[in-house]
């Protein structure tokens, strides 16, 4: 999840790679700090509940109970947590769209139903990363193809025989 977060910051938020790296490291520091002070082993990279992440973000904000720690590195820690929260909100929205479409189109087999939520979320993240990578490299991967709709990316996904 950490690498995906770094890539997202560079791509979506136009952060410099060094800043993205520092923010990703800060999330590890916050995980350790939060675990120590709440006596709950918490790895923010494994927290799927966006509401829990919002509460943690608020705890490290300017007026939160961990604001002093959040202010470390001229606010790098606080900004990293806020950025990570934005990332996970977007990630959750994209995952729910992908998950809902998959549920509508197929019935899960016994093996698939045994897959943990973490595994499913992890796989969906890689699927989105693959799709995004292909979209941005379409010219070099498939020079004879172009995405319908041009810059609007209108044709990135479309239904074929009722399947999306």
């Amino acid at each position: 999840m950490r690498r995906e977060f770094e890539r997202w910051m560079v791509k979506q938020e136009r952060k410099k790679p060094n800043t993205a790296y520092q923010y990703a490291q800060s999330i590890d520091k916050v995980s350790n700090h939060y675990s120590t002070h709440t006596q709950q082993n918490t790895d923010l990279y494994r927290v799927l509940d966006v509401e829990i992440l919002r509460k943690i973000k608020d705890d490290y904000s300017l007026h939160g109970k961990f604001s002093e720690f959040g202010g470390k590195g001229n606010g790098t820690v606080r900004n990293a947590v806020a950025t990570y929260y934005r990332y996970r909100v977007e990630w959750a929205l994209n995952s729910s769209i992908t998950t809902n479409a998959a549920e509508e189109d197929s019935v899960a087999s016994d093996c698939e139903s045994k897959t943990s939520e973490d595994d499913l979320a992890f796989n969906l993240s890689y699927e989105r990363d693959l799709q995004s990578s292909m979209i941005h490299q379409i010219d070099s991967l498939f020079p004879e193809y172009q995405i319908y709709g041009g810059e609007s990316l209108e044709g990135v996904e479309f239904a074929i025989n009722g399947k999306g």
Side-chain angles (χ1 to χ4, degrees), residues 2 5-6 9 19-29 45 80:
R2 179 185 169 144
F5 176 47
E6 284 184 60
M9 284 186 283
T19 301
Y21 175 78
Q22 293 298 324
Y23 278 24
Q25 271 195 316
S26 292
I27 297 304
D28 289 330
K29 292 175 185 174
Y45 286 121

Side-chain angles (χ1 to χ4, degrees), residues 135 138-139 142-150 153 155-156 158:
I135 290 166
I138 193 78
D139 294 335
F142 305 102
E144 65 277 8
Y145 291 101
Q146 64 182 22
I147 294 176
Y148 173 76
L153 300 179
V156 170
F158 56 93

